[in-house]
């Protein structure tokens, strides 16, 4: 017995020493890993050397120096970052990133709202509503997003009236072939401060929440949360607005001689992309919400009711915390999908990261650099969301016996 | 003393009717004031949208084989456009007189796929059948042998191209993804690191950047003088993309297996590969089949992205079909037609995967 064990350990005596050496799992593991690593490195060296030769033959310069040179192309949407054609490629990329984030953030908010409504509606006891919701979900999930984007873009640019005959969908809000035009407050120095006050309000909410939890732990009485939260979030900006002299000026879109003038606008490309991403992702979120609610066993509802909890307490204290634990992880991966899918903007001409990168690539021929920048940006988004997810999962993981 | 009732008690009203159309409506549509309001709202929405839609789709639509002038006069959809252009939509730029070849190829591959849905055919020899099918498929499209006229890949298009990208993609990616999944669960740190890095890198970027990479950077990677054609480049990008997603799906299957299965296999003295081949993979892959079908469904939709790098797949072929200014306004009909094709494929695949989940959900539950 002992001898056998020793031989397996690689220290066995006699003529079978070399075989035994190779049969040691630890030695084998090292050999395998060295072989695989060597293979990967060889492949990399081969590809890099090929690339270098090819680049030399086509006399393409490598490096990121081109980011400083003048871009020379026009970008239609520069809402968040100022940009002119005489700016550098680097700045153009910045505009692309900001446009990607803009459509992704608004899309995430809208898709979450619509998806939650559709998911709950699919479980409704109302037959008609449940059926309508399932038709919506089945259509959206089973038609490619790119087709949906083309469809929306086609509808907006062909079926809607020209700018001078724009349809008013709400007072002061017009929909036309050149997008959506809506009233916007005229810029005032107090606006940035109002944004800042919302951040302060969020901090105040958190502090109040901590205090409320402490108080509940000490006295058993749970202080109200909802009203103070709404008070903070609405009150702080309103106070700042009043301090700033309550500027009321609003820029209304009006019919000019040939087209609508004034107000703020969403371009048709942005609108099509936003509609497509929202409707498509909402279909997936609806299924996640439905599955999450169904996954909480019925016994939980019964047990909570038998404790004498009110219906609203059953929902808020027992069902939702359990359902959210199931719903949130796949929903964040849908958010990530939405962000990645916003790259389809390149097909309908919304200047997002990929679209700008593609133009730059075609103008400069710096394929490797441009594609690396795009990939690095998306990787950064993905990795930050997954870090957040891991942190979150660790926080809410069930503490088991 | 006695208590005897001298007269009958008044009759109670019957319980509320719960059967029949009225009872059903009361139970399912009007059971509370909130539901009643919702039902009325939904009914209003349906009355506003459905009759005009049906009039546009069917009643006022142009069904005959007529030109764009007649369609422009009509109030409804122009199905004449689809009847005139359906071959361009389905087959793209494939030579007109040779289109029977992709047609046979598609019928073949769809029938083999349908056969594979039957569990009796989940046998090892099915792998051979699939390899042969894909081989015949590509031969039929490409020609050059058995007296078939060679057709360059630039001319391949429409639904046959979409199906090829999806089927070849998943078939080639499958063995790669099994290795990646095993590597990710391996004890060897370097192999694990390589697999995790590959999977997370690919899953973190959108498919379109991989397609750009394949079409701009792959030619640079090759030794000078070697050129790869555009279809193959897109196919490589799709394989790379889908193999990382499949690897995660298979890893899920591997993780779902109880530890006892590994321990039992070790106890029998099986080597690593014997254990994987005889004990672990057969079970893990069976559990993973429903999510694999879902991955395939996603891939089938994602193949439409090759339209962005100018491959004439089903979507780009559709866009080309109304490139003619006379027909441009009938893009809605064309999109509805292809959406229906995609929808039929995807809907039945998702139903099949849900069915499998129910059927296969037997083993390892405690």
């Amino acid at each position: 017995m002992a001898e056998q064990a020793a031989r397996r350990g690689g220290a066995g005596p006699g003529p079978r020493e070399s075989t035994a050496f190779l049969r040691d799992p630890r030695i084998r593991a090292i050999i395998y890993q060295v072989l695989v690593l060597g293979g990967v490195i060889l492949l990399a060296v081969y590809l890099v050397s090929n690339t270098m030769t090819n680049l030399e033959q086509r006399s393409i310069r490598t490096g990121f120096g081109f980011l400083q040179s003048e871009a020379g192309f026009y970008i239609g949407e520069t809402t968040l970052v100022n940009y002119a054609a005489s700016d550098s490629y680097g700045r153009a990329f910045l505009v692309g990133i900001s446009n990607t984030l803009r459509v992704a953030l608004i899309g995430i908010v809208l898709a979450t709202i619509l998806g939650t409504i559709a998911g709950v509606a699919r479980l409704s006891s109302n037959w008609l509503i449940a059926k309508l919701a399932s038709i919506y979900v089945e259509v959206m999930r089973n038609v490619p997003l790119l087709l949906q984007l083309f469809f929306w873009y086609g509808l907006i640019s062909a079926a809607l009236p020209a700018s001078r005959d724009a349809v008013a969908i709400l007072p002061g809000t017009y929909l036309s072939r050149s997008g959506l035009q809506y009233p916007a407050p005229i810029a005032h120095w107090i606006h940035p401060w109002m944004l800042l006050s919302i951040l302060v309000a969020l901090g105040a909410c958190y502090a109040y929440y901590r205090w409320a939890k402490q108080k509940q732990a000490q006295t058993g009485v749970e202080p109200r949360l909802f009203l103070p939260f709404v008070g903070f979030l609405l009150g702080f900006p309103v106070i700042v607005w009043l301090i700033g002299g309550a500027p009321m000026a609003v820029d209304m879109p009006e019919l000019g001689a040939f087209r609508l003038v004034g107000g703020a606008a969403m371009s048709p490309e942005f609108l099509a992309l936003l509609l497509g991403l929202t409707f498509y992702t909402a279909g997936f979120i609806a299924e996640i919400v439905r599955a999450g609610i169904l996954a909480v066993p019925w016994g939980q509802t019964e047990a909570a009711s038998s404790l004498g909890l009110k219906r609203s307490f059953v929902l808020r204290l027992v069902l939702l915390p359990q359902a959210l634990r199931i719903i949130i992880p796949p929903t964040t991966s849908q958010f990530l999908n939405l962000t990645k899918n916003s790259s389809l903007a390149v097909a309908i001409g919304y200047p997002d990261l990929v679209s700008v990168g593609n133009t730059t690539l075609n103008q400069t021929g710096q394929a490797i650099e441009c594609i690396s920048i795009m990939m690095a940006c998306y990787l950064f988004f993905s990795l930050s969301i997954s870090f957040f997810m891991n942190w979150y999962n660790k926080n809410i993981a069930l503490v088991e016996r | 003393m006695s208590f005897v009732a001298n007269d009958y008690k008044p009759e109670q009203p019957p319980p509320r009717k719960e059967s029949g159309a009225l009872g059903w409506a009361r139970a399912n549509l009007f059971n509370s004031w909130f539901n009643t309001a919702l039902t009325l709202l939904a009914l209003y929405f349906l009355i506003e949208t459905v009759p005009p839609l049906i009039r546009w789709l069917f009643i006022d639509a142009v069904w005959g084989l007529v030109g764009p002038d007649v369609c422009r006069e009509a109030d409804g959809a122009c199905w004449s456009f689809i009847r005139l252009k359906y071959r361009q939509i389905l087959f793209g730029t494939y030579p007109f007189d040779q289109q029977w070849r992709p047609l046979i190829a598609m019928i073949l591959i769809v029938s083999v796929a349908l056969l594979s849905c039957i569990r009796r055919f989940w046998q090892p020899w099915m792998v051979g059948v699939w390899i042969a099918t894909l081989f015949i498929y590509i031969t039929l499209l490409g020609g050059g042998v058995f007296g078939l006229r060679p057709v360059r890949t630039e001319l391949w298009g429409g639904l046959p191209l979409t199906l090829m990208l999806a089927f070849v993609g998943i078939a080639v990616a499958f063995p790669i993804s099994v290795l990646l999944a095993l590597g990710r669960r391996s004890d060897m740190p370097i192999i694990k690191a390589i697999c995790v890095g590959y999977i997370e890198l690919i899953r973190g970027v959108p498919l379109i950047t991989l397609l750009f990479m394949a079409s701009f950077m792959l030619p640079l990677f090759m030794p000078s003088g070697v050129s790869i054609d555009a279809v193959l480049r897109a196919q490589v990008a799709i394989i790379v993309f889908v193999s990382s997603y499949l690897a995660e799906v298979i890893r899920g299957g591997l993780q779902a297996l109880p530890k006892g299965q590994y321990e039992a296999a070790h106890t029998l003295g099986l080597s690593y590969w014997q254990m994987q081949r005889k004990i672990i993979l057969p079970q893990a892959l069976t559990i993973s089949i429903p999510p694999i079908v879902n991955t395939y469904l996603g891939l089938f939709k994602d193949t439409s992205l090759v339209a962005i790098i100018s491959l004439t797949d089903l979507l780009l072929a559709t866009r080309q079909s109304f490139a003619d200014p006379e027909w441009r306004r009938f893009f809605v009909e064309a999109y509805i037609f292809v959406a229906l094709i995609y929808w039929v494929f995807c809907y039945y695949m998702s139903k099949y995967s849900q069915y499998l989940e129910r059927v296969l959900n037997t083993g390892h539950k405690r």
Side-chain angles (χ1 to χ4, degrees), chain B residues 235-252:
Chain B
Q235 185 72 76
V236 168
I238 284 175
I239 290 168
V240 166
F241 180 73
V242 80
S243 62
S244 68
Y245 281 83
L246 263 189
E248 284 298 274
V249 161
I250 293 170
R251 182 171 76 111

Side-chain angles (χ1 to χ4, degrees), chain B residues 57-112:
Chain B
L57 279 174
F58 304 108
I59 299 170
D60 291 344
V62 181
W63 294 91
L65 266 178
V66 289
D69 322 331
V70 183
C71 278
R72 211 164 293 141
E73 301 294 312
D75 295 327
C78 178
W79 300 121
S80 150
F81 169 65
I82 304 294
R83 287 185 63 183
L84 280 169
K85 303 265 188 176
Y86 76 98
R87 283 182 71 165
Q88 190 188 348
I89 294 176
L90 285 181
F91 296 107
T93 44
Y94 205 86
F96 196 78
D97 57 328
Q98 297 289 313
Q99 282 175 0
W100 57 271
R101 279 158 51 180
L103 183 67
I104 293 177
M106 285 198 299
I107 292 173
L108 175 75
I109 207 162
V110 170
S111 355
V112 174

